[in-house]
């Protein structure tokens, strides 16, 4: 009986594998539940924040109109998102949409490691902004917690330099939501990091699309020439 | 006191410490880096700090304080769930004393009590069952937490509740198991340990066999230890003796209480009443597979999570909180940015400062504050 009890408490010690059929059922249920959660989070976010998303897109489009670029930053998974949003703008997959200048502050590992090693990780994005950013640029920072020190520091510097600033955050928005250095902060109000990240992807894809729609209007007007 | 004073004999302690020094001199690895030995159990952490054992050891031996404090590893979301249960109309929430001050995202159980919830401190789950018997018109929920040590009394209480057909009793089950956690620590890339002082009272229930995977798969010694200072010193000596001899095995220093075969009756009750959860969240450590238990279907009527709606939300720790790093032994309590400043026993940010078995609370209480005031030249100040 003791062996049975110990085997039940610590299956990994006894090479006990889960029953195939019940495992399969649980896995399928897990897929459905998580997918459903993801849909609910996205639907709720866009129902509550559609106007904010449009406003953020207008700000970014405004930067492009002034000859600026989109600069993106994030840590970890959000760094992948920063890289993703950059390549969306640099390499549009839709015919007829022009490539737009975008910069990922996480791309240069020599710079990241140099600043992190010599000064501190809080400064890895700030130092790059000082060298590279111009007032007509827009800075987008992505963080599931909203509390990453290096993003917060970069937003403050960007605001000092005159950039437009947009944040994507999660949970309760963290310190990003409360920071006066952000012109826009889009908060996905859930504590699941994965659900936040999934929604962030949808947000910046939609923003990319909106920016192009806004700029296409300008291009259309330019082609049409002045009204007679 | 008989059977206590013998285990606190200073002459015997000096002899054990001298033996430890001799063993360290024989271990070549000590010339490269300190040996790191983890005491898993919070009770051992308390003994170490209370008797200043860490100061008696040679500098080549570093004690790493493990996650064996069930209150300390309770995620904030589970505290919130418990507060929600306590705040239900007509509910009596019965809990062990060291859980009442653990902060949730809104409040602790103590604060909920101050706000009007009926929270009562008990010393046994049987006390909670008695409350249910004495208050048939109220729901009594017992906040069941602890490692394998406290699972048997909870299991036996549930069996008694079923036998007596008590309908107004349930438990909010947060029992966790230490064995998968030891494995998770060994698999963690940030942690580099040379041996373990094994939990004495958990071993009283499960015996010594479940630890065999540590020497077999990871080549690290495990010595199950008692809780008096001589127990801990002897166990440390036994760990170092194995390292010096190039061996790795499970040894039992606590045979007077923990039989190698464990306690069959206790295991039977646990097996009858509980089943494994797929995973359970540990504060600071994340989710660990098969590390928590819940009531079996046959006892579902006593499961508060199935009877009542609990929020069941995962809450992130405060950003400043470094309980996770302390629990894994990556940093020492005094290296936490908020230790002794924003986080004190009076106003704890994290659970390690709440429970007396928590490394931070133990360090704070038993004179670790000299490290906070260490001068810039790196030398320890004169206390």
């Amino acid at each position: 009986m003791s062996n049975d009890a110990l085997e039940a408490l610590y299956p990994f010690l006894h090479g006990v594998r889960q029953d195939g059929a019940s495992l399969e059922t649980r896995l399928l249920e897990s897929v459905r539940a998580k997918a459903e959660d993801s849909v609910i989070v996205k639907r709720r976010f866009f129902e509550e924040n559609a106007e904010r998303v449009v406003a953020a897109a207008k700000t970014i489009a405004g930067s492009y109109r002034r000859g600026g670029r989109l600069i993106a930053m994030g840590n970890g998974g959000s760094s992948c998102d920063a890289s993703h949003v950059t390549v969306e703008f640099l390499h549009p997959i839709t015919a007829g949409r022009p490539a737009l200048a975008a910069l990922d502050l996480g791309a240069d590992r020599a710079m990241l490691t140099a600043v992190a090693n010599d000064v501190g990780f809080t400064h890895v994005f700030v130092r790059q902004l000082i060298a590279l950013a111009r007032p007509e640029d827009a800075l987008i920072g992505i963080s599931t917690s909203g509390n990453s020190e290096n993003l917060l520091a970069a937003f403050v510097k960007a605001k000092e330099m005159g950039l437009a600033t947009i944040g994507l955050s999660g949970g309760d928005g963290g310190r990003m939501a409360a920071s006066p250095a952000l012109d826009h902060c889009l908060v996905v109000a859930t504590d699941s990091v994965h659900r936040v990240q999934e929604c962030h992807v949808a947000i910046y894809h939609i923003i990319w699309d909106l920016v192009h729609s806004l700029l296409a209007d300008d291009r259309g007007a330019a082609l049409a020439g002045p009204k007679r | 006191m008989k059977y206590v004073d013998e285990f606190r004999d200073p002459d015997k302690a000096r002899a054990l410490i001298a033996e430890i020094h001799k063993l360290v001199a024989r271990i070549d690895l000590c010339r490269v880096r300190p040996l790191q030995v983890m005491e898993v159990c919070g009770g051992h952490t308390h003994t170490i700090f209370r008797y200043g054992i860490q100061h008696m050891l040679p500098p080549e031996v570093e004690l790493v304080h493990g996650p064996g404090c069930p209150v300390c590893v309770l995620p904030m979301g589970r505290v919130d769930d418990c507060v929600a249960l306590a705040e239900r109309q007509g509910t009596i929430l019965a809990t062990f004393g060291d859980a009442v001050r653990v902060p949730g995202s809104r409040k602790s159980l103590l604060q909920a009590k101050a706000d009007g919830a009926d929270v009562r401190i008990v010393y046994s789950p049987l006390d909670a069952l008695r409350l249910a018997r004495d208050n048939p018109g109220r729901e009594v929920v017992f906040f069941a937490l602890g490692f394998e040590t406290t699972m048997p009394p909870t299991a036996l209480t549930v069996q008694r509740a079923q036998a007596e057909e008590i309908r107004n009793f349930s438990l909010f089950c947060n029992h966790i198991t230490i064995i998968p956690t030891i494995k998770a620590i060994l698999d963690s890339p940030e942690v580099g340990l040379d041996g373990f002082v094994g939990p004495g009272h958990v071993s009283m229930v499960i015996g010594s066999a479940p630890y065999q995977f540590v020497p077999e798969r990871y080549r690290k010694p495990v010595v199950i230890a008692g809780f008096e200072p001589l127990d801990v010193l002897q166990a440390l000596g036994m760990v170092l003796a194995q390292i010096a001899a190039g061996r790795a095995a499970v040894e039992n220093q606590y045979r007077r209480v923990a039989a190698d075969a464990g306690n069959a009756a206790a295991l039977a009750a646990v097996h009858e009443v509980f089943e494994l959860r797929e995973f359970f969240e540990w504060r600071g450590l994340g989710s660990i597979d098969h590390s928590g238990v819940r009531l079996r279907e046959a006892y579902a009527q006593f499961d508060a999570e199935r009877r009542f709606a609990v929020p069941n939300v995962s809450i992130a720790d405060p950003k400043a909180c470094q309980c996770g790093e302390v629990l894994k032994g990556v940093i020492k309590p005094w290296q936490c940015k908020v230790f002794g400043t924003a986080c004190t026993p009076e106003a704890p940010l994290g659970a390690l400062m709440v429970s007396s078995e928590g490394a931070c609370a133990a360090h704070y209480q038993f004179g670790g504050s000299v490290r906070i005031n260490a001068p810039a030249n790196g030398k320890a100040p004169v206390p």
Side-chain angles (χ1 to χ4, degrees), chain A:
Chain A
M1 168 53 90
S2 291
N3 285 340
D4 290 344
L6 289 174
E7 199 173 293
L9 263 183
Y10 314 121
F12 80 94
L13 291 180
H14 299 86
V16 173
R17 302 189 71 83
Q18 299 177 73
D19 167 64
S22 67
L23 174 63
E24 185 75 6
T25 304
R26 280 202 305 276
L27 290 175
L28 288 170
E29 183 47 45
S30 179
V31 168
R32 290 188 194 101
K34 286 183 170 63
E36 178 69 18
D37 277 347
S38 192
V39 166
I40 290 171
V41 165
K42 289 195 195 76
R43 185 182 299 129
R44 189 172 62 218
F45 173 83
F46 288 108
E47 275 171 2
E48 294 171 6
N49 294 279
E51 288 170 357
R52 291 191 186 93
V53 172
V54 170
K58 284 180 178 173
T59 295
I60 294 172
S63 287
Y64 279 118
R65 286 193 192 101
R66 291 192 296 276
R69 304 157 299 174
L70 181 67
I71 302 175
M73 60 180 181
N75 294 302
S78 297
S79 173
C80 298
D81 284 321
S83 179
H84 187 163
V85 71
T86 305
V87 81
E88 291 287 354
F89 280 90
L90 281 171
H91 176 59
I93 56 165
T94 306
R97 291 199 161 165
L100 296 172
L103 191 58
D104 170 18
L105 295 183
D108 186 341
R109 74 168 182 268
M111 181 63 187
L112 288 173
T113 54
V115 175
N117 187 56
D118 298 345
V119 187
F121 200 69
T122 300
H123 303 271
V124 293
F125 298 135
V126 169
R127 288 296 176 101
Q128 294 183 76
L129 287 176
I130 290 169
L132 300 169
R134 303 187 297 255
E136 50 273 21
D137 293 332
L139 175 68
I140 184 167
I142 307 173
S143 167
T144 55
S145 68
N147 291 318
S148 300
E149 294 292 344
N150 53 5
L151 264 69
L152 290 161
F155 279 126
V156 169
K157 176 53 75 176
K159 199 36 60 188
E160 277 173 24
M161 295 174 70
L163 277 73
T165 49
I166 303 102
L168 267 53
S169 181
D172 63 2
R175 287 156 60 199
M176 272 169 58
S179 171
L182 275 79
D183 297 322
H184 308 271
C185 190
L186 303 170
V187 180
V188 180
T190 176
D191 289 318
S192 166
V193 170
H194 288 165
R195 304 293 90 81
V196 170
Q197 289 173 327
E198 288 152 15
C199 195
H200 281 174
V201 175
I203 293 169
Y204 60 70
H205 277 149
I206 289 170
I207 285 180
W208 170 85
D209 197 42
L210 294 176
V211 167
H212 277 287
S213 296
L214 288 162
L215 294 178
D217 246 12
D218 295 350
R219 289 192 295 278
L223 282 171
K227 285 191 192 302
R228 295 202 177 84

Side-chain angles (χ1 to χ4, degrees), chain B residues 78 85 141 158 169-173 275 277 293-297 299-308 310:
Chain B
R78 297 293 282 182
L85 287 166
V141 179
V158 170
F169 173 78
S170 61
L171 56 100
F172 179 49
C173 185
E275 62 183 9
R277 297 180 191 255
V293 297
R294 59 172 170 240
L295 291 173
R296 289 188 186 272
E297 186 60 36
Y299 298 94
Q301 62 177 310
F302 301 108
D303 186 347
E305 284 178 273
R306 282 183 259 202
R307 277 171 74 150
F308 312 115
V310 292

Side-chain angles (χ1 to χ4, degrees), chain B residues 187-199:
Chain B
D187 288 338
S188 174
E190 307 148 280
V191 183
L193 299 170
D194 299 295
F196 289 90
V197 171

Side-chain angles (χ1 to χ4, degrees), chain B residues 36-239:
Chain B
Q36 294 200 308
V37 180
M38 175 177 275
E39 90 279 355
V40 178
C41 177
H44 288 143
T45 307
H46 188 87
T47 298
I48 286 164
F49 280 109
R50 182 177 171 190
Y51 293 95
I53 289 176
Q54 74 276 27
H55 299 303
M56 302 172 195
L57 300 175
E60 292 89 348
V61 179
E62 202 175 289
L63 292 176
V64 177
H65 312 304
C69 165
V71 171
C72 303
V73 297
L74 195 60
M76 213 180 261
R78 297 293 282 182
V79 178
D80 287 352
D81 291 344
C82 202
V83 168
L85 287 166
E87 289 176 335
R88 285 185 76 254
Q89 189 80 9
T91 297
I92 298 173
L93 193 290
T95 175
F96 294 131
D98 54 356
V100 292
R101 292 195 314 119
V102 182
S105 65
R106 294 186 299 120
K107 56 176 91 169
S108 64
L109 282 172
L110 195 60
Q111 286 162 331
K113 184 177 170 70
D115 290 341
D118 194 346
V119 177
R120 306 205 197 171
I121 292 174
V122 296
Y123 296 93
S124 156
L126 288 173
D127 292 341
L129 189 61
R130 187 178 319 118
L131 281 172
R133 240 186 254 117
D134 295 347
N135 295 274
R138 313 261 313 264
E139 284 290 338
V140 175
V141 179
F142 173 60
F143 187 14
L145 76 167
F147 289 101
E148 290 90 332
T149 319
T150 50
M151 277 187 212
T154 304
L156 291 164
T157 301
V158 170
Q159 287 176 327
R160 185 177 289 192
Q162 189 173 65
E164 294 181 19
E165 296 182 3
I166 294 176
R167 303 274 176 244
N168 60 327
F169 173 78
S170 61
L171 56 100
F172 179 49
C173 185
N174 291 275
H175 282 300
I176 46 181
T177 54
I178 198 65
I179 300 296
T181 313
I182 292 174
K183 181 181 182 308
I185 287 170
L186 284 162
D187 288 338
S188 174
E190 307 148 280
V191 183
L193 299 170
D194 299 295
F196 289 90
V197 171
H201 291 150
V202 164
S203 305
M204 185 179 64
V205 175
I206 69 174
S208 59
Y211 305 100
Q212 281 300 335
F213 78 99
V214 177
E216 280 172 13
R217 297 190 203 174
Y218 297 91
R219 302 296 306 157
K220 314 282 182 191
V222 178
V223 176
I224 296 163
F227 294 88
E228 294 299 329
L230 293 194
D231 288 320
V232 174
L233 283 170
Q234 186 176 41
L236 279 168
M238 290 164 74
V239 169

